[in-house]
Amino acid sequence: MKLFRNAKSSASGFALAALLSVSVGFLEATPAVAKPPAKAQPAVLTASAIAVADEYSADAAEQIFKEGGNAVDAAVAIAFTLAVTYPEAGNIGGGGFMTLYVDGKPYFLDYRERAPLAATKNMYLDDKGEVIKGMSLYGYRAVGVPGTVDGMWQAQRRFGKLNWKQVLAPAIHYARDGFQVSEQLQQRRDDAAKEFAGKTNFDTYFGNLKQGVNFKQPDLAAVLQRISDQGAKDFYSGKTAGLIAESMRGHGLITRADLQQYKAVWRQPIQADWKGYRVYTAPPPSSGGIGLVQLLKMKADRAADFKDVPLNSPQYIHLIAEIEKRVFADRAQYLGDPDFYKVPVAQLTDDAYIAKRASEVNPETPSDTKSVQPGLGTSMPEKAETTHFSVVDKWGNAVSNTYTVNGYFGSGVVADRTGIVLNDEMDDFSAKPGVANMFGVVGSDANSIEPKKRPLSSMSPTILTKDGKVSLVIGTPGGSRIFTSIFQVINNIYDFDMPLPQAVGAMRFHHQLLPPNTIFWEPYQPIDGELAKQVEAKGYTLKAQNFNGDIQAIKINGNTPEAAADPRGRGVTRIIQ
Ligand code: DON
């Protein structure tokens, strides 16, 4: 079988695979990256499964499973491959979150970007105290210290079965030998290039990203080769660190010291019981896990109101919007980086608190936006692109991973002589209390800028288990739409018994407190015609948005995995025996 997809011929895929097995053997002698042989484990599922953003990363994962890798090995190979073949969001110049379930235990890895040491609270304000438009979105000063390489390194060292070199090999291949550019990728490039024009060096690296072209990235291949040879230390203190710091000098804030001090962090995932399932999802600095648990539980608390209400009917849309209003009021007030700000996680996910919030839902008409305040009081201590993939191995382990450069192609800055697209994650901070960011969400001091702080995220890689076994692995990009999208798909599956592909493909909508009583809909499944009239008659304004997520999900039925990629994207699923 063809091991790696090659834009020109599959024969070279075979040749490459042969070369790889040589280099892998060579590397086993390198102590820093070698792994002891893994113990044989009995399979508990009929197959492994993936739902990923493109065909190249699917091939990479398949290859890793064939070599005996587990879900974590496959996830790391997918992440590095997408950094090459899905450069609008896959990355090594950004950051993300990984929720894992390994040998029956949950884990969460936070490899979110951090603000540079020289960052300051008001760095995006002019002398009148107003936010300077675009400054946190485009160019060198928008960039946070990237976390992806350390995240992948830590995850693979802790849980992977294969050698580090093996999981890097597919990405190096696609960077060095090229991949075929899809129509969607070119479209996204063209859109992003308009935004970056005159502000960044984007076109020097991505000017040739045209549909049908075999796109090679030699600088990025060299970086990946060094990471493969030396591990994460190349990126944080080696040659690559030097090249990133040099690119930034005189333009941005990131220095060698920033990179040297970066560390991904293992945290406790948010855990909640819901309808017989255990939900494991993202803790702060994500808002998404808390948001998802509040959404699921408030809906369960209001089950009587939802009885016989058809999916995506005007009344359903109204009830969900009422719940979302309360979640977003809390998000704006209380959520930020837990290393800098005491986030009241236990209170916000407490059943009695959520029930009280649910009791404030008005089943008839939209609650007045101003009346919906953060539920714990205010005296408490104070464009877009991301991608998600889900992986399950036949041993019953799961990885749910969402990572991002924020906007399409991040800040538009490509670190010179590396081909690394750098993120614009600084926009996820609250540049000024009450002023909305790219996703229209506001924040408080909890999410103000401070050196080494992580900006608040909505990314919510999630795993549901039942009786200790993985049941669902799910996540999506979409900024503040992330956890409302996951919530809707979970409802579709468990409350409306929809088969997985339909649950993922069904209409989604979004409300986030501000703008007041506004329901966002998407062209893929519009709210229009009679439905639109009835939603408007309830007091809502309808607003179109381009994008409401790109869900990648795996569901386990008995001991057989089923995978679904959102028809909104160019995602791919595989069941791998
Ligand atoms: O961390 C966050 O919530 C955002 N930076 C994610 C960006 C995103 O999902 C863009 N995708 N469309």
Side-chain angles (χ1 to χ4, degrees), residues 97 112 331 383-387 402 404-408 425 428 438-439 455-459 476-480 482 547:
F97 300 133
R112 179 79 163 160
R331 183 192 191 279
K383 86 183 183 178
E385 196 52 23
T386 302
T387 185
T402 315
T404 187
V405 284
N406 200 27
Y408 283 134
E425 222 68 59
D428 275 345
M438 169 165 72
F439 295 104
L456 183 62
S457 174
S458 299
M459 292 184 289
T476 181
S480 54
I482 288 174
F547 180 76

Coordinates of all heavy atoms in Angstrom, one line a residue, residues 97 112 331 383-387 402 404-408 425 428 438-439 455-459 476-480 482 547, ligand 1:
F97 N -4.2 22.8 22.7 CA -4.6 22.0 23.9 C -4.8 20.5 23.4 O -5.3 20.3 22.3 CB -5.9 22.4 24.5 CG -5.9 23.8 25.0 CD1 -6.9 24.7 24.7 CD2 -4.9 24.3 25.8 CE1 -7.0 26.0 25.2 CE2 -4.9 25.6 26.3 CZ -5.9 26.5 26.0
R112 N -0.5 26.2 25.1 CA -1.0 27.5 24.6 C 0.2 28.5 24.5 O 1.1 28.4 25.4 CB -2.0 28.0 25.6 CG -2.6 29.4 25.3 CD -3.6 29.3 24.3 NE -4.5 30.5 24.3 CZ -5.2 30.8 23.2 NH1 -5.2 30.1 22.1 NH2 -6.0 31.9 23.2
R331 N -18.0 34.0 31.1 CA -16.8 33.9 30.4 C -16.0 35.3 30.4 O -14.8 35.3 30.7 CB -17.0 33.5 28.9 CG -15.7 33.3 28.1 CD -16.1 33.2 26.6 NE -14.9 32.8 25.8 CZ -13.9 33.6 25.4 NH1 -14.0 34.9 25.7 NH2 -12.9 33.1 24.7
K383 N -11.1 36.6 12.2 CA -10.6 35.9 11.1 C -10.2 34.5 11.4 O -9.5 34.2 12.2 CB -9.6 36.7 10.4 CG -8.1 36.4 11.0 CD -7.2 37.3 10.4 CE -5.9 37.0 10.9 NZ -4.8 37.6 10.4
A384 N -10.3 33.7 10.8 CA -9.9 32.9 11.8 C -9.5 31.5 11.4 O -10.2 30.9 10.5 CB -11.1 32.8 12.7
E385 N -8.4 31.0 12.2 CA -8.2 29.5 11.9 C -7.4 28.8 12.9 O -6.4 29.2 13.5 CB -7.6 29.4 10.5 CG -7.6 27.9 10.0 CD -9.0 27.3 10.0 OE1 -10.0 28.0 10.0 OE2 -9.1 26.1 10.0
T386 N -7.9 27.6 13.1 CA -7.5 26.6 14.1 C -7.9 25.3 13.5 O -8.6 25.3 12.5 CB -8.4 26.8 15.4 OG1 -8.3 28.1 15.8 CG2 -8.1 25.9 16.5
T387 N -7.3 24.2 14.0 CA -7.8 22.9 13.5 C -7.8 21.9 14.6 O -7.1 22.0 15.6 CB -7.0 22.5 12.3 OG1 -7.6 21.2 11.8 CG2 -5.5 22.2 12.6
T402 N -6.8 20.3 19.7 CA -7.1 21.5 19.0 C -5.9 22.4 19.1 O -5.4 22.6 20.2 CB -8.4 22.2 19.5 OG1 -9.4 21.2 19.8 CG2 -8.9 23.2 18.5
T404 N -3.8 26.0 17.1 CA -4.2 27.1 16.3 C -3.0 28.1 16.1 O -2.1 28.2 16.9 CB -5.3 27.9 17.0 OG1 -5.8 28.9 16.2 CG2 -4.9 28.4 18.4
V405 N -3.1 28.9 15.0 CA -2.3 30.1 14.9 C -3.3 31.4 15.0 O -2.9 32.5 14.7 CB -1.5 30.2 13.6 CG1 -0.3 29.3 13.7 CG2 -2.4 29.8 12.4
N406 N -4.5 31.1 15.4 CA -5.6 32.1 15.6 C -6.2 32.4 14.2 O -7.0 31.6 13.7 CB -5.2 33.3 16.3 CG -6.4 34.1 16.9 OD1 -7.4 33.4 17.1 ND2 -6.3 35.4 17.1
G407 N -5.9 33.5 13.6 CA -6.4 33.8 12.3 C -5.8 32.9 11.2 O -4.8 32.3 11.5
Y408 N -6.4 32.9 10.0 CA -5.8 32.1 8.9 C -4.4 32.6 8.7 O -4.1 33.8 8.6 CB -6.5 32.4 7.6 CG -7.8 31.7 7.4 CD1 -8.9 32.3 6.9 CD2 -7.9 30.3 7.7 CE1 -10.1 31.6 6.8 CE2 -9.1 29.6 7.6 CZ -10.2 30.3 7.1 OH -11.4 29.7 6.9
E425 N -1.9 35.1 18.3 CA -2.7 34.7 19.5 C -2.9 35.8 20.5 O -3.8 35.8 21.3 CB -2.1 33.5 20.1 CG -3.1 32.4 20.6 CD -3.7 31.7 19.4 OE1 -3.0 31.1 18.6 OE2 -5.0 31.8 19.3
D428 N -6.2 37.2 21.4 CA -7.2 36.5 22.3 C -7.1 37.1 23.7 O -8.0 36.8 24.6 CB -6.9 35.0 22.4 CG -7.6 34.2 21.3 OD1 -8.5 34.8 20.7 OD2 -7.2 33.1 21.1
M438 N -11.3 39.7 17.8 CA -11.7 39.3 16.5 C -13.0 38.5 16.5 O -13.7 38.5 15.6 CB -10.5 38.4 15.9 CG -10.9 37.7 14.6 SD -9.4 37.1 13.8 CE -8.9 35.8 14.8
F439 N -13.2 37.7 17.6 CA -14.4 36.9 17.7 C -15.6 37.6 18.3 O -16.6 37.0 18.6 CB -14.1 35.6 18.5 CG -13.1 34.7 17.7 CD1 -11.7 34.7 18.1 CD2 -13.4 34.1 16.6 CE1 -10.8 34.0 17.4 CE2 -12.5 33.3 15.9 CZ -11.2 33.3 16.3
P455 N -3.2 33.8 26.8 CA -4.5 34.4 26.5 C -5.6 33.4 26.6 O -5.4 32.2 26.4 CB -4.3 34.9 25.0 CG -3.2 34.1 24.5 CD -2.3 33.7 25.6
L456 N -6.7 33.9 27.0 CA -7.9 33.1 27.2 C -8.3 32.5 25.8 O -8.3 33.2 24.8 CB -9.1 33.9 27.7 CG -10.4 33.1 28.0 CD1 -10.2 32.1 29.1 CD2 -11.5 34.1 28.5
S457 N -8.6 31.2 25.8 CA -9.0 30.5 24.6 C -10.4 30.0 24.7 O -11.0 29.9 25.8 CB -8.0 29.3 24.4 OG -8.4 28.5 23.4
S458 N -10.9 29.5 23.6 CA -12.2 28.8 23.6 C -12.0 27.4 23.1 O -13.0 26.6 23.1 CB -13.2 29.5 22.6 OG -13.5 30.8 23.0
M459 N -10.8 27.0 22.8 CA -10.6 25.6 22.3 C -10.9 24.6 23.3 O -10.6 24.7 24.5 CB -9.1 25.5 21.9 CG -8.7 26.3 20.7 SD -7.0 26.0 20.1 CE -6.1 26.8 21.4
T476 N -13.4 21.1 17.5 CA -13.5 21.9 16.3 C -12.8 23.2 16.5 O -12.5 23.7 17.6 CB -15.0 22.3 16.1 OG1 -15.2 23.1 14.9 CG2 -15.6 23.1 17.2
P477 N -12.4 23.9 15.3 CA -12.0 25.3 15.4 C -13.3 26.2 15.4 O -14.4 25.6 15.4 CB -11.3 25.5 14.1 CG -11.9 24.5 13.1 CD -12.3 23.3 14.0
G478 N -13.1 27.5 15.5 CA -14.2 28.4 15.4 C -14.2 29.5 16.5 O -15.2 30.2 16.6
G479 N -13.1 29.7 17.2 CA -13.0 30.8 18.2 C -14.1 30.6 19.2 O -14.4 29.5 19.7
S480 N -14.9 31.6 19.4 CA -15.9 31.5 20.5 C -17.1 30.6 20.1 O -17.9 30.3 20.9 CB -16.5 32.9 20.8 OG -16.9 33.5 19.6
I482 N -16.5 27.6 19.2 CA -16.0 26.2 19.4 C -16.9 25.5 20.4 O -17.5 24.4 20.0 CB -14.6 26.2 19.9 CG1 -13.6 26.7 18.8 CG2 -14.2 24.9 20.5 CD1 -12.2 26.9 19.2
F547 N -18.5 30.9 8.9 CA -17.9 29.7 9.4 C -18.4 29.4 10.8 O -18.4 30.2 11.7 CB -16.4 30.0 9.5 CG -15.5 28.8 9.9 CD1 -15.3 27.8 9.1 CD2 -15.0 28.8 11.2 CE1 -14.5 26.8 9.5 CE2 -14.2 27.8 11.6 CZ -13.9 26.8 10.8
Ligands
DON1 O1 -7.9 30.0 21.2 C1 -9.0 30.4 20.7 O2 -10.1 30.3 21.2 C2 -8.9 31.0 19.3 N1 -7.6 31.6 19.1 C3 -9.2 29.9 18.3 C4 -9.2 30.4 16.9 C5 -10.0 29.6 16.0 O3 -10.7 28.7 16.4 C6 -10.1 30.1 14.6 N2 -10.9 29.2 13.8 N3 -11.7 29.4 13.1

